[in-house]
Amino acid sequence: MKPVKITEGIYCLPAIDWNIRDFHGYATEQGTTYNAYLIMDEKITLVDTVKKEFADDLLEGIGQIVDPKKIDYVISNHTEMDHSGGLPRVMHKIGENKPIYCSKMGYKNLPRHFSPNLNYQPVENGGELKVGKRTLAFLETKMLHWPDSMVTYAKEDKILFSSDAFGQHYAGLERFDDQIGETIMTYARKYFANILLLYSDLILKLAEKITALGLVIDIICPDHGIIWRKDPGKIINAYVEWSAQKPKKKALVIYDTMWQSTRKMAEAIVEGLGDEGVDAQCMHLRSFNRSDIITEVLDAGAIVVGSPTLNNGLFPTVSDFLTYMKGFKPKNKIAAAFGSYGWSGEAVKIITKAFDEMKFNVIDPGLMVQYVPNQETFEACFQLGKKIGRAL
Ligand code: FEO
């Protein structure tokens, strides 16, 4: 591991996970990075660790700066194991009596993951820790991403160690926003959609709180991906925009198909949407990963889902996608269902019920075609697309 200097006395220790392609169901086509940070002050402080498999790499990286045994304090901003999995190995090396500062929920949750005998020290929301000439302040960010989440702010350096927030699943040699440029926003957007969309309201409140506190942030150091030093405001503004979930004139027609009838319906609906000037695309559930579809759901105004009826229910990939999407509680969507069937035809009703549960505005009772679409039913699909387009 190659430590990277962020500013005098503060280093990033990036564990680059080049090979991971599935991060608990999220397609990480470019791998990811787990960042820990080292603050060299009178009290040498490690902020977060890395995934368990990279713990020895982390210790080796720290060793290029200082003997790990000289670390005085550890801060655990977040209990999830991509950041805390390395904790037992690190504590074994540096001394299990050293304090691990964490939020009050972290104090409850860390011993549920690791030895209860480690020296966990809960901090107050807004509490501070002097580590020498530096002061570290802690701000709870419950549910961003877990109940235990907090961020650490190095006051004198104006550096925010933001844990999961503002991260990206990206493995590369670049460490800073000015080294990678606009490309990183694609990864940041996908990360937001698949990790933080559910917590949009909390993000907006946090942004207000940061403004109210007058917190000046020169550098944001997330636990995944690149560090925002050139323009930290860019990612903060993007989070505010994404959290607002303002719908665009954009529609997704998401479907699966058995004998191509539902595919043909999907394509006719997209043509109708296009006829109304809507930015529309077909997304076949065995051609697109669910995490890539959710990235597009973020700003889509219309969600149209199609499934053939299989064994009196949905095609399994459609069930999977609806379950995944429902978890994020996306807002401000109009919706409609469609699908082919042979004899019973439950799929459209099941999808429509799922839309109702998600509080989508269902603008059509749903379109069902028996067996294979014909000229008349193709026209009905096209008109459904136009109807959705006009509603957008
Ligand atoms: Fe990157 Fe919620 O862990």
Side-chain angles (χ1 to χ4, degrees):
M1 179 185 291
K2 188 171 181 294
V4 177
K5 185 175 169 183
I6 299 169
T7 189
E8 207 51 56
I10 299 186
Y11 298 86
C12 176
L13 297 149
I16 305 175
D17 195 345
W18 295 99
N19 299 327
I20 190 170
R21 290 293 177 271
D22 185 324
F23 189 96
H24 59 48
Y26 173 143
T28 45
E29 62 281 356
Q30 189 66 34
T32 192
T33 313
Y34 317 104
N35 297 329
Y37 296 95
L38 190 69
I39 302 172
M40 295 297 295
D41 210 313
E42 285 168 33
K43 297 292 182 187
I44 298 173
T45 303
L46 179 68
V47 181
D48 290 322
T49 67
V50 293
K51 206 173 176 183
K52 185 180 175 184
E53 299 92 294
F54 296 91
D56 282 327
D57 292 348
L58 172 63
L59 289 165
E60 181 271 327
I62 293 168
Q64 294 178 42
I65 304 165
V66 67
D67 180 349
K69 291 190 179 71
K70 292 190 173 165
I71 290 175
D72 297 287
Y73 299 154
V74 175
I75 292 169
S76 171
N77 279 326
H78 182 21
T79 304
E80 194 166 8
M81 285 176 283
D82 46 339
H83 311 295
S84 68
L87 204 51
R89 179 84 185 111
V90 167
M91 299 314 292
H92 179 73
K93 182 84 175 176
I94 73 173
E96 292 184 344
N97 59 331
K98 304 276 177 74
I100 302 168
Y101 294 99
C102 54
S103 68
K104 281 177 246 147
M105 283 305 293
Y107 182 70
K108 282 186 184 171
N109 288 340
L110 282 166
R112 290 170 172 151
H113 288 75
F114 310 110
S115 166
N117 300 323
L118 294 173
N119 184 12
Y120 305 111
Q121 295 291 329
V123 298
E124 290 296 322
N125 183 25
E128 294 186 350
L129 178 71
K130 285 293 282 183
V131 295
K133 65 179 190 300
R134 291 183 176 84
T135 314
L136 304 179
F138 306 110
L139 181 64
E140 284 181 359
T141 52
K142 279 183 186 170
M143 300 318 299
L144 301 174
H145 163 231
W146 276 13
D148 48 76
S149 294
M150 68 175 192
V151 296
T152 299
Y153 179 63
K155 288 174 86 169
E156 292 78 7
D157 301 282
K158 300 182 177 57
I159 293 178
L160 184 70
F161 299 98
S162 64
S163 185
D164 274 339
F166 310 120
Q168 332 90 44
H169 284 314
Y170 177 80
L173 294 175
E174 308 90 341
R175 296 273 69 82
F176 297 99
D177 54 347
D178 47 283
Q179 293 169 337
I180 190 166
E182 195 61 26
T183 307
I184 201 61
M185 294 309 286
T186 303
Y187 297 93
R189 183 167 172 265
K190 178 171 178 179
Y191 180 95
F192 177 91
N194 284 276
I195 305 284
L196 297 169
L197 178 60
L198 172 61
Y199 308 114
S200 291
D201 291 344
L202 292 174
I203 289 167
L204 290 172
K205 277 186 193 146
L206 180 66
E208 281 169 22
K209 195 169 176 181
I210 287 173
T211 308
L213 288 170
L215 220 59
V216 178
I217 299 170
D218 285 349
I219 302 175
I220 297 175
C221 296
D223 277 3
H224 296 288
I226 63 98
I227 294 162
W228 306 90
R229 71 176 175 190
K230 182 185 173 203
D231 190 3
K234 184 183 174 87
I235 191 65
I236 294 173
N237 290 339
Y239 266 47
V240 170
E241 184 195 324
W242 295 332
S243 297
Q245 297 189 53
K246 201 172 162 194
K248 289 187 177 161
K249 196 173 176 181
K250 169 176 164 180
L252 307 179
V253 180
I254 302 153
Y255 73 97
D256 212 328
T257 192
M258 289 171 67
W259 291 104
Q260 308 305 321
S261 292
T262 305
R263 173 184 65 77
K264 289 173 185 168
M265 292 178 75
E267 290 170 3
I269 293 167
V270 162
E271 282 174 15
L273 283 157
D275 202 53
E276 292 292 333
V278 175
D279 170 14
Q281 65 170 316
C282 266
M283 302 189 100
H284 175 226
L285 281 162
R286 279 176 286 161
S287 305
F288 289 82
N289 185 276
R290 63 171 94 80
S291 55
D292 291 312
I293 300 177
I294 287 298
T295 309
E296 298 309 316
V297 165
L298 187 61
D299 59 2
I303 306 296
V304 191
V305 175
S307 174
T309 294
L310 175 65
N311 301 331
N312 307 109
L314 295 179
F315 201 81
T317 51
V318 179
S319 294
D320 172 279
F321 176 71
L322 288 172
T323 301
Y324 192 60
M325 179 166 67
K326 192 175 174 185
F328 294 112
K329 298 186 178 161
K331 291 180 181 167
N332 307 324
K333 311 295 181 199
I334 63 172
F338 67 97
S340 70
Y341 70 103
W343 48 97
S344 57
E346 290 89 347
V348 165
K349 278 185 208 142
I350 297 170
I351 296 168
T352 303
K353 185 165 175 277
F355 285 155
D356 287 337
E357 287 165 2
M358 283 184 262
K359 299 187 169 57
F360 286 6
N361 177 14
V362 179
I363 62 151
D364 190 273
L367 185 56
M368 296 165 63
V369 167
Q370 190 164 26
Y371 291 117
V372 177
N374 57 23
Q375 198 173 351
E376 187 186 331
T377 46
F378 271 133
E379 179 60 21
C381 292
F382 184 79
Q383 290 303 329
L384 176 60
K386 284 180 74 71
K387 181 178 176 182
I388 298 162
R390 287 193 298 274
L392 273 174

